[in-house]
Amino acid sequence: MNEDVTLAKWLNNEMTEKELHDFMQTPEYATYNKIKEYSAELTAPEADMDTLYQNITRNKNRAKQPKVRTLNTWMPRVAAIFVVLLGAAFFLYASHTTEQMAANGQRNTFLLPDYSEVVLNSGSEANYKQFNWNNNRRLQLEGEAYFKAAKGKTFDVVTPHGTVTVIGTQFNVKVRNGRLDVTCFEGKVKVASGNEVVFLTPGKSVAYENGKNLNVGDDKKAAPGWINYETSFDKENLENIISELERQYNVKITVTGNTIPSKRFTGTIPTKNLDTALDIIQAVYHLKSSRSNNNTIILSTE
């Protein structure tokens, strides 16, 4: 059976049981069925197709031409199939989400539709929709990113622990292990977490852990430390510091011992020299390090 005729009969529920059974066994059936579900509202009504055909036939009879060409009755239904396919294509395009990722030990720089620049830190992911960006300026973030918003442009950075709203500014957002850190480097940033709303100006930071404001200090640098291959911590616990080192160096770090140090660390650790980074951790937390292989490090209490 001709493919166009088959699709038309299927769309209009005119197949016999055998024809429907044979059609469902074809590899194309799943795709056609999905398109039909997405575009159900775009299917042309049967009554309109029959009326169209009758009007064309009457007009041809009035002309009384010596030779009458019979209109293929399947053509209107083939047109309906085209509308279905076009509607499905538009639906898929409009609902498509752009995903940007930075694997452990890597970074990823990209532009938003308004030409704002985003730099993803290691082990981070961002999602947004390019279609209709002007009316849906939202970016979902897991991990850490540095933003340089285009002048006069505004958008929201949405995280599991709060939303950051900006207008033409530069800022850093970090969301890891139940903690949200935001620092403003230029312009003004609005941070909403739980029932609290904070406005940040250049050099100001805010951090929330499990919904609690940690009252962190100011940051007077011109850009986040990790952009220059060093990571700054403010009142951070050892578990989160180790997780960050694992992402930056793409290694596995295990802490052994009866008691894991609970001291919180404020300071800077390099992300391009693993030995120096480990030396700092050992000195602060009184730990010893050993390597079982190139990618596995064991820290043990003294």
Side-chain angles (χ1 to χ4, degrees):
M1 183 182 296
N2 180 274
E3 183 177 0
D4 291 342
V5 174
T6 300
L7 288 174
K9 293 185 70 175
W10 173 63
L11 286 171
N12 288 279
N13 299 316
E14 296 177 354
M15 283 186 167
T16 64
E17 291 186 7
K18 183 178 184 308
E19 289 174 337
L20 180 59
H21 177 270
D22 292 342
F23 182 56
M24 292 175 66
Q25 306 307 310
T26 64
E28 297 86 2
Y29 173 75
T31 300
Y32 288 139
N33 191 50
K34 188 173 183 180
I35 292 175
K36 183 179 180 182
E37 291 176 357
Y38 283 149
S39 308
E41 295 181 359
L42 298 175
T43 304
E46 179 67 25
D48 291 343
M49 294 304 171
D50 292 339
T51 300
L52 176 63
Y53 174 67
Q54 292 171 9
N55 290 339
I56 293 174
T57 303
R58 281 198 299 269
N59 290 336
K60 294 183 64 146
N61 290 337
R62 289 195 193 100
K64 296 181 179 180
Q65 297 178 359
K67 185 176 181 180
V68 178
R69 180 183 176 187
T70 303
L71 180 66
N72 187 338
T73 59
W74 297 112
M75 289 302 295
R77 290 163 185 171
V78 171
I81 294 173
F82 176 76
V83 173
V84 169
L85 295 173
L86 184 62
F90 177 79
F91 174 84
L92 293 174
Y93 173 74
S95 61
H96 174 69
T97 298
T98 299
E99 180 181 273
Q100 298 283 352
M101 299 183 64
N104 287 352
Q106 299 180 9
R107 296 181 181 182
N108 180 15
T109 302
F110 62 94
L111 295 178
L112 295 174
D114 62 9
Y115 298 104
S116 296
E117 181 180 293
V118 183
V119 185
L120 288 181
N121 201 353
S122 301
S124 302
E125 177 181 334
N127 296 281
Y128 62 95
K129 292 184 178 180
Q130 291 198 36
F131 177 78
N132 199 28
W133 168 260
N134 287 335
N135 297 316
N136 186 28
R137 296 170 172 270
R138 293 167 62 87
L139 178 144
Q140 302 278 346
L141 175 67
E142 287 284 352
E144 185 171 15
Y146 178 46
F147 297 85
K148 293 183 179 180
K151 186 176 181 179
K153 302 300 182 180
T154 180
F155 55 87
D156 291 339
V157 179
V158 182
T159 80
H161 308 296
T163 299
V164 183
T165 303
V166 300
I167 299 178
T169 185
Q170 297 184 28
F171 62 103
N172 192 78
V173 180
K174 180 179 180 180
V175 51
R176 306 275 196 197
N177 303 318
R179 174 167 169 164
L180 170 66
D181 289 81
V182 182
T183 300
C184 177
F185 295 96
E186 181 181 295
K188 193 174 184 179
V189 176
K190 173 186 174 183
V191 183
S193 180
N195 296 322
E196 186 170 296
V197 176
V198 177
F199 290 89
L200 301 179
T201 53
K204 299 296 183 180
S205 302
V206 67
Y208 297 95
E209 188 171 43
N210 299 320
K212 180 182 178 181
N213 191 325
L214 298 180
N215 296 314
V216 297
D218 296 342
D219 190 336
K220 298 301 183 181
K221 295 190 294 293
W226 65 267
I227 291 292
N228 297 313
Y229 298 97
E230 59 180 25
T231 296
S232 297
F233 299 98
D234 196 328
K235 301 178 182 178
E236 192 65 87
N237 60 48
L238 178 59
E239 179 182 2
N240 289 346
I241 294 172
I242 289 176
S243 294
E244 188 63 32
L245 293 180
E246 289 179 326
R247 281 186 289 269
Q248 295 297 331
Y249 291 102
N250 194 23
V251 296
K252 176 64 178 177
I253 301 176
T254 302
V255 180
T256 63
N258 296 327
T259 303
I260 304 300
S262 59
K263 178 182 178 179
R264 287 185 176 264
F265 173 73
T266 296
T268 300
I269 294 178
T271 57
K272 289 194 74 173
N273 189 319
L274 181 56
D275 290 334
T276 300
L278 291 175
D279 287 342
I280 295 173
I281 295 298
Q282 291 178 90
V284 172
Y285 289 98
H286 307 291
L287 301 172
K288 292 182 179 180
S289 68
S290 60
R291 300 192 187 190
S292 58
N293 56 55
N294 290 334
N295 291 320
T296 302
I297 298 168
I298 299 175
L299 295 176
S300 56
T301 56
E302 295 180 346

